[in-house]
Amino acid sequence: MKVWKRVLFACAAAGVLAVGAFAQTTGTIEGTVVDENAMALPGVTVEAMSPNLQGTKVAVTDTEGQFRLVLLPPGTYALKFALTGFAATEQSGVVVNLGRIVTLAVTMQSAFKEEVVVSGAAPTIDVKSTEVGANVTSDFFLNLPTARNYASVALIAPGTNTDDAGTTVYGSSGAENAYYIDGVNTTGIELAQQGKQLNFEFIQEVQVKTGGYQAEFGRSTGGMINVITKSGGNEFHGDVFAYYDSADLQSSFDETNLEIARGTRTFVVEDYTRQDFGLDLGGFIVKDKLWFFAAYDQVQNDEDRQITNDYTAFGGPAQDTIYTQKLKRDLWSGKLTWRIGQNHSLIASAFGDPTTTEGPLNAYGLSGPESTFMGTLDEGGTDYTGKYEGVLGQNFVASAQYAWHEELYDPSASPGFNQIWVQDRTRTVSGGIFPVSGGFGFAQVQEFGRETMKGDLAYFLNDFLGDHEFKIGAEYEQIDVMSNQYNTGGQRIRIRCKSGTQLRDLDGELIGCAPGGTYYQHEFYVFPEPPGGVNDPNMADYVAPFPVTSNAKNWAYFLQDTWRISSNFTLNLGVRLDQQEFYDSSGAVAGEIKDSYAPRIGFIWDPSGDGRTKLYGSWGYFYETVPMDIVIRSFGGEISILNYNLTPDGSNVNCDLAGQAGYFACRRVGHSSTPVDPDLKGQYIEDVVVGFDYELAKDFAVGAKYIWRDLAMVIEDSLDGTGGYFIGNPGRGVLSTMLDESYTYSYPAPPAERTFTGVELTARKRFSNNWQMVASYLWSEMKGNYDGTFQASTGQLDPNLNSAFDYAEFTLRNNGKLSNDRTHQFKVDGSYTFDFGLNLGVSAYFASGRPVTAYGYDVNYRNYEYYLSERGAYGRIDDEYEMDLHLGYPIKLGGIELNVLVDVFNLLDVQGETDRDMRFNLDQTIDVIDYDTGEFRELLPGGTTCASLGLESCNDNFNTSNDFQDPRSIRLGLRLTF
């Protein structure tokens, strides 16, 4: 790192810095106090009180009558305003949300008047921020029918949906978010998914940032999901809770849907039981000085998986055999909050999610013997953090934080972990499933750790140019990676038919090879690399599990100014710098991303000047923090050998078919360390938001916004002519050109493209008059050639290493409506509390179906990598809609309250389709390039069928439903609160 960068980091971090840097954990109240003639009142003492606040917070208005109360834990506050000669004024019901600024306008009257009390008059609009998203408190989400996972709460926010990788935000894939708990970065280290489970009862508030946020926040090209946990208080409170649901509380599957599922899957869930139970307690050790909160929740999920076909001919289970998968998860949490002085606090948190799963682990292997799928998996880890927060002098606010996040993944106790996996690709059963035998196949034993030190310093300045909040900050992360890669038993074997020798029955199923047509593919890691390459005579001596022990380092710096030019106009200005260094197993720098500058600009104008209207806009760059999959697969020295011979003997891994034509030539794949474009640029989106919010009535606000997001730069890998990979930015530098799969022709590489455009309408009702609500409608379109770090079109989750730009064939016709494109989305979440105590909560959504595309099979990648039609040429999946219901009835038992809970999911029992089979053909490559001339072949017009092209191995189920909504189900719960 350059000297100036070291100096900047040292100055920012050593200064004991940060108001919730990089993941806010508090909120702010600020405002202006005037007299009856609208003249500013200096010297007013402002005192804030809340059950969530230790002691009180006190501020004094300045010469302009302005005050600011910072570092406020989320909650509901009462404020007192006192000045000699004026009547005492109180304002209650001021709701402070996580990371939000509440702006008040207070008028004090002459001392000859009676005390003035104002209740619940705080505006619902944050007129200092361009940030869009949602804040969801526990008082809201506990009264909704949500899954007991904080990530499900994020779906309340406008602009969010789901894909197979997680929560999508304005079209970004589900592996592009950042997840924080109490300021700890808990984002999954390898793949950037949700990296930590947390017991629901520990959560105080969930904040979802979907765009427009300032320079202090980053590490995401999707959204930020920020969780703050409970802290205790000056009274003892706790819960004892239990939740239960099972197949007995679920309606029947639609018989047609069930028949389709049985025809396309190796198993269906025949029965299940899900339950979790636990307790929590919060209170004080010393009132107003030392608070605690602790919680424990044990989750037990049992699932009976019924085999859909008879696999006994392949050594597998008989049809209708049932295997039970048992999951046990121990969720625990603890927190201490110590007020060490009037303006200084220390907070320590720890939470863990150790999990054990027993039973069928490998759904892919259920067509084989039990050794291919039965086993034990241990995963989870412990996170902890310590944080200082304080006000230094009159104008400085600071904090510093240290945090540790860890993850474990270990299936090595499974019986099949030491057996060779064999897949017979000369035979198929049940619509193209290949039988397997032996062990697990590919497996990993992994331990990850992320150590974080961060901080920032805020300085408040009021001069003739306006009111400024300057903030400077820095963050350092070191990520440790230990990943042992296994081909169980040392290798994987695939039995294949030589080209043109496949034999099929009348139903189109493979039944074997013609005489002399069978050969064996042996795939294995080598460590160390054989000096003689794929033809080394002692090849078997190098077959081994592949160890990757490495690390990466991430830095971030930011500088920003919230500049209140006038009482009703604010500018947010800032810039952020992100950097990454990746190390190989020898400790050398294998790749780096430098100078990822992210400017952020925003404005907020309050036309009415009363804090109840807001016209705002923002523009900025938001960079990805590249997950560690790239360190494991590209910089860990992962080298695989694919050798072909005529023997099934696992001890013979020699290259007996070397020199024969086509894919019978043995080959080496991978590098000791994948080369990187020396001018590699970071992956980022350009984000534009323009909107208007209006407080239509007390506690009720509506809004409209325009969102434009462009994935302006992408990091991916591609293959060179030797079978090795290199990493760069598609369409530029070393990835300006790409080869076809025959390594014969070179083509210009297209740049990665993903553009989202949307118009969104929102309505928010803060809890009052017995009800609360968040509702939104989004019209959008998303076009391009790149889904994101999760490649939904192929089902591949290898962030920045997906196959999208590996070969020219994979980019042809890859353009149009992307996988997460949904034209219309509507959702509403709300609750109503009746006067007699019953709480009624509703969550409902409607979403347009996703696009349907014809995908072609690629024999080299053993996956559907070709776009045989333009994206979306075959229409859309059916529209989706669902309504869920929550009922809660409290029963008072002295000082204890027993809440009887019922959640009904899919109340209308809609079992509509959620996916379609987009495989155009099965086990046959359709050449998308004329390999005699290098010319691209024409794409398929929408409506073209496989049979009309005269092809074999057609997929008769192409463009038919293959996945459906779950039937109506009921979850029962009891919560005893004291």
Side-chain angles (χ1 to χ4, degrees):
M1 195 184 350
K2 294 180 180 179
V3 173
W4 71 269
K5 295 175 184 174
R6 292 184 184 273
V7 171
L8 176 59
F9 183 84
C11 291
V16 195
L17 317 170
V19 185
F22 304 91
Q24 291 165 321
T25 57
T26 59
T28 298
I29 300 175
E30 61 180 38
T32 304
V33 184
V34 298
D35 64 14
E36 295 166 290
N37 297 314
M39 299 296 293
L41 288 177
V44 177
T45 300
V46 185
E47 184 179 19
M49 296 159 286
S50 171
N52 294 347
L53 177 68
Q54 290 179 324
T56 62
K57 286 280 187 180
V58 178
V60 178
T61 59
D62 60 17
T63 57
E64 303 295 326
Q66 297 177 2
F67 70 92
R68 181 179 290 107
L69 295 159
V70 298
L71 301 178
L72 300 177
T76 301
Y77 284 76
L79 279 76
K80 291 184 177 180
F81 302 85
L83 180 64
T84 302
F86 288 84
T89 301
E90 295 186 6
Q91 183 160 349
S92 61
V94 178
V95 177
V96 176
N97 287 127
L98 185 61
R100 301 298 186 187
I101 299 175
V102 178
T103 303
L104 301 177
V106 179
T107 300
M108 297 187 70
Q109 299 181 356
S110 165
F112 298 104
K113 301 287 182 70
E114 294 182 358
E115 180 177 344
V116 178
V117 178
V118 181
S119 179
T124 60
I125 296 173
D126 183 351
V127 294
K128 298 292 288 292
S129 174
T130 61
E131 185 176 293
V132 295
N135 285 72
V136 188
T137 66
S138 59
D139 291 336
F140 190 11
F141 65 72
L142 287 176
N143 291 322
L144 294 175
T146 60
R148 287 180 53 75
N149 179 0
Y150 72 84
S152 66
V153 177
L155 296 176
I156 296 172
T160 58
N161 209 299
T162 60
D163 63 14
D164 287 342
T167 301
T168 64
V169 175
Y170 294 131
S172 297
S173 72
E176 297 181 44
N177 303 314
Y179 297 84
Y180 285 83
I181 300 174
D182 282 350
V184 183
N185 184 358
T186 63
T187 310
I189 289 175
E190 181 183 20
L191 301 174
Q193 296 173 284
Q194 180 184 354
K196 180 64 59 175
Q197 298 289 325
L198 185 69
N199 43 323
F200 226 44
E201 278 65 27
F202 196 35
I203 299 172
Q204 175 72 25
E205 185 173 335
V206 178
Q207 180 189 43
V208 185
K209 299 176 186 288
T210 57
Y213 41 89
Q214 292 200 61
E216 61 185 296
F217 306 107
R219 306 201 182 284
S220 166
T221 53
M224 291 190 65
I225 301 172
N226 186 21
V227 177
I228 184 73
T229 61
K230 296 178 181 178
S231 300
N234 283 332
E235 297 179 352
F236 291 99
H237 292 285
D239 302 281
V240 178
F241 54 87
Y243 295 85
Y244 175 86
D245 67 301
S246 71
D248 293 334
L249 298 174
Q250 183 183 68
S251 65
S252 300
F253 281 92
D254 181 281
E255 288 299 324
T256 301
N257 296 351
L258 186 58
E259 183 179 351
I260 293 172
R262 289 183 178 277
T264 58
R265 304 174 191 170
T266 55
F267 74 91
V268 293
V269 177
E270 194 271 340
D271 193 9
Y272 67 87
T273 300
R274 293 189 288 255
Q275 56 188 337
D276 69 280
F277 47 87
L279 70 165
D280 61 80
L281 178 65
F284 65 91
I285 299 174
V286 180
K287 279 191 174 183
D288 283 329
K289 283 288 186 181
L290 184 59
W291 289 357
F292 75 91
F293 192 89
Y296 173 76
D297 184 2
Q298 184 175 109
V299 179
Q300 297 179 0
N301 293 341
D302 294 349
E303 183 177 277
D304 289 347
R305 298 182 173 184
Q306 186 178 60
I307 305 301
T308 57
N309 291 278
D310 186 359
Y311 300 112
T312 53
F314 309 105
Q319 186 171 359
D320 297 331
T321 301
I322 293 176
Y323 292 95
T324 300
Q325 183 186 81
K326 295 180 176 290
L327 178 147
K328 179 185 175 184
R329 176 175 290 134
D330 294 304
L331 301 175
W332 61 270
S333 313
K335 188 173 185 179
L336 289 173
T337 305
W338 180 23
R339 187 190 187 200
I340 56 179
Q342 172 65 31
N343 294 314
H344 306 278
S345 295
L346 292 177
I347 303 104
S349 294
F351 39 90
D353 60 348
T355 304
T356 299
T357 305
E358 297 179 334
L361 302 180
N362 186 354
Y364 187 60
L366 285 173
S367 58
E370 293 184 4
S371 58
T372 62
F373 58 84
M374 293 293 285
T376 300
L377 170 64
D378 293 317
E379 54 188 332
T382 297
D383 291 30
Y384 52 85
T385 181
K387 183 177 183 180
Y388 162 81
E389 295 179 338
V391 178
L392 308 177
Q394 186 172 353
N395 295 323
F396 290 92
V397 180
S399 80
Q401 184 167 13
Y402 174 87
W404 172 259
H405 167 74
E406 69 179 16
E407 300 171 26
L408 168 71
Y409 185 91
D410 186 0
S412 60
S414 306
F417 201 78
N418 297 310
Q419 299 184 41
I420 296 174
W421 177 86
V422 180
Q423 182 188 61
D424 188 350
R425 297 185 70 88
T426 71
R427 296 182 290 176
T428 58
V429 291
S430 183
I433 295 174
F434 299 107
V436 297
S437 60
F440 271 24
F442 175 74
Q444 296 172 297
V445 176
Q446 299 177 310
E447 291 183 26
F448 300 124
R450 180 191 288 119
E451 183 180 38
T452 304
M453 291 171 282
K454 61 184 180 182
D456 73 18
L457 178 68
Y459 173 64
F460 300 96
L461 173 67
N462 192 332
D463 61 18
F464 68 95
L465 293 177
D467 187 10
H468 296 267
E469 180 188 341
F470 295 107
K471 191 178 288 187
I472 183 173
E475 177 181 34
Y476 170 76
E477 291 184 342
Q478 175 159 323
I479 300 172
D480 298 321
V481 173
M482 191 289 289
S483 180
N484 286 331
Q485 316 284 96
Y486 291 84
N487 286 310
T488 60
Q491 63 180 299
R492 284 179 281 177
I493 297 176
R494 293 180 178 87
I495 310 171
R496 295 182 173 277
C497 293
K498 294 182 181 180
S499 181
T501 68
Q502 292 181 338
L503 302 177
R504 298 180 180 274
D505 61 18
L506 296 178
D507 295 324
E509 299 286 358
L510 282 172
I511 58 175
C513 311
T518 303
Y519 70 98
Y520 299 85
Q521 177 196 67
H522 301 259
E523 178 179 358
F524 47 91
Y525 294 115
V526 290
F527 186 77
E529 185 175 357
V534 297
N535 290 301
D536 194 292
N538 300 312
M539 179 63 72
D541 295 338
Y542 299 95
V543 178
F546 194 83
V548 177
T549 302
S550 188
N551 64 82
K553 296 178 181 179
N554 304 328
W555 293 267
Y557 316 88
F558 75 87
L559 175 66
Q560 68 187 37
D561 178 20
T562 301
W563 180 13
R564 191 173 184 179
I565 296 175
S566 66
S567 62
N568 65 341
F569 189 82
T570 301
L571 282 179
N572 289 331
L573 307 172
V575 63
R576 180 185 175 92
L577 171 62
D578 286 284
Q579 296 178 307
Q580 287 188 269
E581 284 184 353
F582 308 103
Y583 295 82
D584 62 24
S585 292
S586 70
V589 175
E592 56 184 341
I593 302 173
K594 301 178 293 184
D595 302 332
S596 295
Y597 287 99
R600 311 277 175 85
I601 299 174
F603 75 90
I604 309 101
W605 176 43
D606 176 7
S608 63
D610 60 3
R612 287 173 165 78
T613 57
K614 179 172 76 171
L615 176 66
Y616 63 96
S618 66
W619 168 85
Y621 288 177
F622 297 82
Y623 278 86
E624 171 203 33
T625 296
V626 177
M628 291 302 98
D629 192 35
I630 201 168
V631 167
I632 296 169
R633 298 193 56 209
S634 297
F635 307 135
E638 177 184 310
I639 297 175
S640 292
I641 302 293
L642 281 75
N643 279 357
Y644 302 86
N645 58 39
L646 299 174
T647 174
D649 183 0
S651 64
N652 179 5
V653 295
N654 294 320
C655 188
D656 294 346
L657 296 181
Q660 295 194 27
Y663 50 79
F664 297 117
C666 300
R667 60 193 178 108
R668 166 193 184 277
V669 178
H671 285 284
S672 55
S673 185
T674 303
V676 177
D677 188 334
D679 192 32
L680 182 69
K681 304 298 182 184
Q683 181 162 318
Y684 72 93
I685 61 169
E686 184 178 0
D687 178 86
V688 175
V689 178
V690 179
F692 180 77
D693 287 346
Y694 175 61
E695 190 175 78
L696 191 63
K698 178 185 174 183
D699 297 321
F700 186 78
V702 295
K705 67 177 71 74
Y706 167 82
I707 310 105
W708 180 83
R709 280 188 162 197
D710 181 59
L711 188 58
M713 188 69 66
V714 165
I715 296 173
E716 271 293 349
D717 65 344
S718 187
L719 281 160
D720 62 23
T722 66
Y725 291 88
F726 53 92
I727 293 171
N729 305 117
R732 59 174 292 157
V734 298
L735 288 189
S736 295
T737 60
M738 60 196 320
L739 295 175
D740 70 288
E741 287 190 272
S742 70
Y743 302 113
T744 303
Y745 304 102
S746 178
Y747 302 90
E753 296 178 351
R754 186 184 75 193
T755 302
F756 175 95
T757 305
V759 176
E760 188 172 70
L761 306 177
T762 59
R764 293 183 294 116
K765 170 65 170 61
R766 191 164 60 193
F767 185 78
S768 62
N769 300 323
N770 291 23
W771 69 289
Q772 56 191 330
M773 180 195 70
V774 175
S776 63
Y777 164 76
L778 173 65
W779 172 91
S780 65
E781 64 176 8
M782 190 167 66
K783 296 181 178 180
N785 61 8
Y786 186 72
D787 284 334
T789 56
F790 170 58
Q791 190 173 328
S793 57
T794 64
Q796 184 182 10
L797 179 57
D798 275 310
N800 308 106
L801 299 175
N802 289 322
S803 62
F805 295 92
D806 283 5
Y807 290 115
E809 288 91 333
F810 299 171
T811 68
L812 300 180
R813 290 168 292 276
N814 178 11
N815 197 54
K817 301 169 184 174
L818 293 173
S819 300
N820 284 330
D821 177 64
R822 296 179 183 269
T823 308
H824 304 285
Q825 296 183 69
F826 169 78
K827 54 186 174 182
V828 59
D829 296 271
S831 69
Y832 185 88
T833 302
F834 292 89
D835 291 339
F836 60 90
L838 177 68
N839 178 270
L840 173 66
V842 174
S843 295
Y845 77 88
F846 169 90
S848 299
R850 294 177 291 105
V852 178
T853 303
Y855 298 123
Y857 184 80
D858 175 57
V859 69
N860 288 327
Y861 272 45
R862 303 182 294 273
N863 197 21
Y864 288 81
E865 303 287 349
Y866 297 159
Y867 298 85
L868 302 180
S869 72
E870 186 180 53
R871 283 177 177 261
Y874 284 80
R876 289 182 178 271
I877 299 168
D878 289 347
D879 297 339
E880 297 178 33
Y881 64 95
E882 186 173 311
M883 178 183 290
D884 304 329
L885 180 69
H886 169 86
L887 297 171
Y889 187 74
I891 302 172
K892 300 291 185 179
L893 303 171
I896 298 175
E897 179 179 279
L898 176 65
N899 217 314
V900 181
L901 307 169
V902 178
D903 292 294
V904 184
F905 300 98
N906 196 359
L907 177 67
L908 304 178
D909 200 20
V910 180
Q911 298 185 37
E913 66 172 7
T914 58
D915 203 359
R916 290 191 189 173
D917 190 340
M918 301 186 200
R919 302 172 301 165
F920 191 76
N921 60 320
L922 295 174
D923 191 32
Q924 173 188 340
T925 297
I926 299 175
D927 291 336
V928 294
I929 290 178
D930 184 336
Y931 291 104
D932 292 329
T933 65
E935 296 293 325
F936 300 156
R937 298 188 186 277
E938 294 295 323
L939 58 82
L940 299 178
T944 303
T945 65
C946 181
S948 70
L949 300 177
L951 299 173
E952 298 178 1
S953 186
C954 291
N955 180 16
D956 295 333
N957 295 318
F958 171 70
N959 204 11
T960 62
S961 305
N962 67 353
D963 205 3
F964 307 91
Q965 293 168 261
D966 289 334
R968 179 175 54 239
S969 62
I970 298 173
R971 182 180 66 200
L972 305 177
L974 290 173
R975 187 189 303 122
L976 189 68
T977 302
F978 56 91

